[in-house]
């Protein structure tokens, strides 16, 4: 006999069609993308594509430009996430006291987040201009030699990183600050009475209480960093000498400059799988199954 | 020698004076309760003793050390919070061991002490759990364990039972009492619950609006209150207050139709003076004495006794204990009390003895 409750639950008429639509859309699209990535579809040779099996994926493994882009993506994601979390946390702990204009400071923190990446990218491009930019001017004031911020292959990636940190650290600050404010203060006082110094209160009591919030912010930032595109597009277009080309950006080049659609989709799938594996690993490390401490 | 001396401590937040020249002496090994309604400054005072709250003036001496300007961790006190304040990310064992860890105690000694405290408080099965897996009563036991483990000079309790349900509160209250009797350590306990204060304290300090109203043993506060506030705050149901006038050249009072002899008072009162007569509900059920007639409104039956709420002919409401019968709504009963049981207060609320 069928369970009466499930069959007679009238809300199923609402949620079941939605589930069907979403399933069809995502599964169908994913299958379609995988299907195309198994061909050699190119806009240069429209209508003459044929099934090539896993050739595109094998090509990826042997493509030094792709592997370099993958490595660069990893480097950028790790650096951006770690620095933004560390810097954001430091600022939050520093701001965790009552001072005049606290609300104003908090509002100002929103500015970089609200700004469109195009504006942020252009602004930093001007700042990093080797001849007229503010960055080199400031360096000249303290007598340090000029730096070709966006023109040197060794430095450009880190210049984009600076812009990303500038734009997204405030996001970390806002979220961690909210977590800090909702955290109970009695345990901190208890720790003080129990003989802890201020750094011990922070390290043993406060930071463990903020762990969940920090982990979630780190996940969000990591996902965003892997997918970062706009800052790279505006500031360097992957240059100089491909030194800032991430996998995401390389996929864009393959699709819209080389019109090699199948290979671009293969790259996209690899990026997706890579992202999922990396984030699931990160998630299981941050939230262990045995009582998420 | 006093284990804790609070000397002329004052503190204000902006224009609000939270503590106004408060002085308390706590004897070694005694149990002192700071009692008062919410907002009277009792918690502020306790936090000041703990070193969590700087004071504006005055000094705090623990043992023979002036700790007024020392940070909390150097005061060698232990505190139990209303919210339990357990470290949410640590297990029960880690919570209890934390004060030892902060003192750099080696692992083995620490484990032994934690086990000892766990045995004393019967929380051994909980040692590997996290605070959020515990009930309120268990959490507060762990918090008490964390305070006990390092043998401090002074125990501070900040309304530790307020978040618990009634049955658990009674149980833990007895346990705290037992604990104090067995370890004989100096304890300062903040509460707004006068039952807790009366059952636990060697000495009660009644605070109101940052000032000490009266200090004394539970019985002395109950029998011999200094003012209307203390008289009304201590004892449930609270003391009845009736308006009275001095007559017969200060030999008696009239309250409604009742005439109360006050020749036992040392003070001489002028004829016609208005005073307040206070009489506790449990003293209104005597065989003989001054009579009042009460129009019964509600009777609360508690099993062993009953409390009758009603109005006097003057319109004043009175609560009276009734041990023999349980009058119903609409009945008029006669209350009797001994004049010596009555407490007399002047118009400012101060006691006339």
């Amino acid at each position: 006999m069928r369970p009466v409750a499930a069959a007679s639950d009238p809300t199923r008429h609402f949620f079941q069609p939605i589930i069907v639509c979403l399933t069809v859309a995502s599964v169908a699209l994913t299958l379609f993308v995988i299907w195309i990535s198994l061909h050699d579809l190119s806009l240069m040779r429209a209508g003459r594509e044929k099934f090539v099996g896993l050739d595109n994926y094998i090509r990826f493994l042997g493509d030094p430009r792709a592997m370099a882009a993958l490595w660069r993506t990893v480097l950028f994601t790790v650096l951006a996430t770690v620095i933004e979390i560390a810097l954001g946390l430091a600022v939050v702990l520093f701001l965790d006291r009552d001072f005049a204009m606290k609300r104003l400071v908090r509002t100002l923190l929103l500015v970089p987040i609200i700004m469109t990446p195009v504006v942020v990218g252009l602004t930093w491009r001007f700042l990093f201009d080797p001849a007229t930019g503010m960055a080199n001017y400031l360096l000249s004031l303290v007598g340090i030699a000029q730096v070709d911020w966006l023109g040197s292959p060794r430095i450009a990636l880190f210049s984009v990183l600076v812009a990303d940190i500038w734009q997204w650290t405030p996001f970390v600050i806002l979220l961690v600050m909210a977590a800090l404010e909702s955290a109970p203060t009695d345990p901190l006082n208890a720790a003080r009475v129990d003989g802890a110094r201020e750094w011990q209160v922070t390290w043993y009591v406060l930071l463990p209480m903020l762990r969940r919030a920090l982990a979630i912010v780190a996940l969000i930032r990591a996902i965003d960093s892997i997918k970062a595109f706009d800052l790279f597009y505006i500031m360097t277009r992957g240059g100089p000498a491909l030194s800032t080309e991430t996998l995401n950006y390389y996929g864009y080049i393959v699709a819209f400059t080389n019109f090699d659609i199948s290979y671009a989709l293969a790259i996209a799938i690899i990026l997706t799988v890579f992202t999922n594996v990396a984030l699931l690993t990160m998630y299981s490390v941050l939230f262990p199954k045995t009582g998420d401490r | 020698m006093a284990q804790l001396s609070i000397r002329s401590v004052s503190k204000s937040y902006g224009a609000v004076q939270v503590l106004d020249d408060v002085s308390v002496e706590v004897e070694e090994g005694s149990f002192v309760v700071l009692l008062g309604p919410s907002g009277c400054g009792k918690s502020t005072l306790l936090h000041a003793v703990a070193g969590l709250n700087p004071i504006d003036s005055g000094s705090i001496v623990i043992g023979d050390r002036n700790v007024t300007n020392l940070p909390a961790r150097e005061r060698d006190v232990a505190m139990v919070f209303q919210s339990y304040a357990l470290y949410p990310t640590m297990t029960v064992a880690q919570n209890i061991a934390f004060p030892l860890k902060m003192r750099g105690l080696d692992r083995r000694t620490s484990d032994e002490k934690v086990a000892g405290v766990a045995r004393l408080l019967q929380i051994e099965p909980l040692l590997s759990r996290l605070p959020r897996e515990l009930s309120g009563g268990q959490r507060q036991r762990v918090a008490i364990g964390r305070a006990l483990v390092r043998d401090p000079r002074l125990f501070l309790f900040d309304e530790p039972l307020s978040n618990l349900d009634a049955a658990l509160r009674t149980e833990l209250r007895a346990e705290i009492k037992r604990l104090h009797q067995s370890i004989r350590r100096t304890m300062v306990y903040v509460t707004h619950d006068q039952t807790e204060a009366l059952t636990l304290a060697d000495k009660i300090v009644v605070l109101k609006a940052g000032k000490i109203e009266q200090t004394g043993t539970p019985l002395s506060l109950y029998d011999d209150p200094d003012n209307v506030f203390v008289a009304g705050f201590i004892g449930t149901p609270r003391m009845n207050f009736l308006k009275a006038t001095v007559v017969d050249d200060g030999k008696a009072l009239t309250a409604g139709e009742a005439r109360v002899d006050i020749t036992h008072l040392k003070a001489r009162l002028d004829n016609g003076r208005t005073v307040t007569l206070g009489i506790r509900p449990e003293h209104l059920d005597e065989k003989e004495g001054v009579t009042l007639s009460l129009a019964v409104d509600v009777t609360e039956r508690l099993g062993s006794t009953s409390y009758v709420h009603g109005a006097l002919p003057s319109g004043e409401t009175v609560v009276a204990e009734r041990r023999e019968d349980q009058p119903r709504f609409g009945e008029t009963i006669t209350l009797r009390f001994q004049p010596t049981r009555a407490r007399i207060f002047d118009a400012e609320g101060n006691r006339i003895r």
Side-chain angles (χ1 to χ4, degrees), chain B residues 299-302 304-308 320-322 325-326:
Chain B
T299 299
E300 295 177 315
R301 279 175 284 271
L302 302 179
S304 60
T305 188
S306 301
Y307 289 109
V308 182
E321 186 171 357
R322 203 75 180 168
D325 55 346
Q326 287 139 22

Side-chain angles (χ1 to χ4, degrees), chain A residues 184 186-198 200-201 204-205 208-209 291-293, chain B residues 52 72-73 77-79 81 83 85-90 98-99 101-103 130 132 146 150:
Chain A
D186 275 353
L188 309 181
N189 280 334
R192 289 182 187 115
V193 175
D194 280 346
R197 292 165 191 280
E198 280 310 305
Q200 288 171 317
V201 173
Y204 289 114
V205 183
M209 291 201 297
D292 35 28
R293 296 178 182 174
Chain B
L52 298 171
R73 71 186 149 81
V77 302
M79 187 155 168
F81 293 75
S83 65
L86 297 179
Y87 310 125
T89 54
M90 300 182 199
F98 187 76
K101 187 173 165 185
M102 289 302 105
R103 271 164 185 72
L130 284 174
R132 63 184 153 76
R146 190 175 61 185
R150 71 186 158 88

Side-chain angles (χ1 to χ4, degrees), chain A residues 143-193:
Chain A
I144 298 178
Q146 307 289 289
V147 176
D148 191 1
W149 295 99
L150 298 171
S152 159
R154 294 220 323 272
I155 297 174
L157 186 69
F158 300 98
S159 301
V160 180
L161 186 64
V162 168
D164 192 77
I165 290 168
W166 179 84
Q167 184 167 25
W168 291 111
T169 302
F171 173 77
V172 175
I173 295 175
L174 280 183
L175 261 65
V176 177
M177 205 183 243
L180 182 69
E181 268 163 23
S182 64
T185 55
D186 275 353
L188 309 181
N189 280 334
R192 289 182 187 115
V193 175

